[in-house]
Amino acid sequence: MDVKVIGLIGTYTNPAHVLAYDDGEVRQQFSICFRAQIIGGSLRTSSESKEVAFVHPSRLDELNIHPSMRMRIDHGLADRSEPYVG
């Protein structure tokens, strides 16, 4: 999708959430989530996704979403006045 960034939802990290890969690489997750408006493009998969779709918020509980990702989604849907820092 082509998007226009219109705000910051938050920054997310957890020192206890460390990822260890088969090749020996170890890293701590850190992500920045932005609020954006879609201005073009189309949905498509990538090397990091098997399927992509827009899902109505009322259906989120039907999906298997990792709690750390669900927190980011919930923060985005809440339209918080200040970005989350954590």
Side-chain angles (χ1 to χ4, degrees), residues 18-38:
V18 176
L19 305 171
Y21 295 91
D22 292 339
D23 65 2
E25 179 182 356
V26 177
R27 64 172 105 157
Q28 178 183 332
Q29 177 188 18
F30 176 84
S31 62
I32 303 171
C33 296
F34 297 97
R35 182 171 314 284
Q37 291 177 328
I38 298 170

Side-chain angles (χ1 to χ4, degrees), residues 12-78:
Y12 300 84
T13 190
N14 179 347
H17 188 184
V18 176
L19 305 171
Y21 295 91
D22 292 339
D23 65 2
E25 179 182 356
V26 177
R27 64 172 105 157
Q28 178 183 332
Q29 177 188 18
F30 176 84
S31 62
I32 303 171
C33 296
F34 297 97
R35 182 171 314 284
Q37 291 177 328
I38 298 170
I39 58 173
S42 60
L43 292 177
R44 63 179 182 260
T45 59
S46 71
S47 62
E48 296 183 348
S49 60
K50 295 178 184 176
E51 180 181 5
V52 294
F54 284 105
V55 176
H56 192 274
S58 66
R59 295 190 51 222
L60 290 174
D61 289 336
E62 301 170 20
L63 303 174
N64 182 17
I65 303 173
H66 189 278
S68 66
M69 294 297 111
R70 180 61 191 258
M71 179 174 66
R72 291 159 173 78
I73 294 168
D74 290 343
H75 287 170
L77 293 172

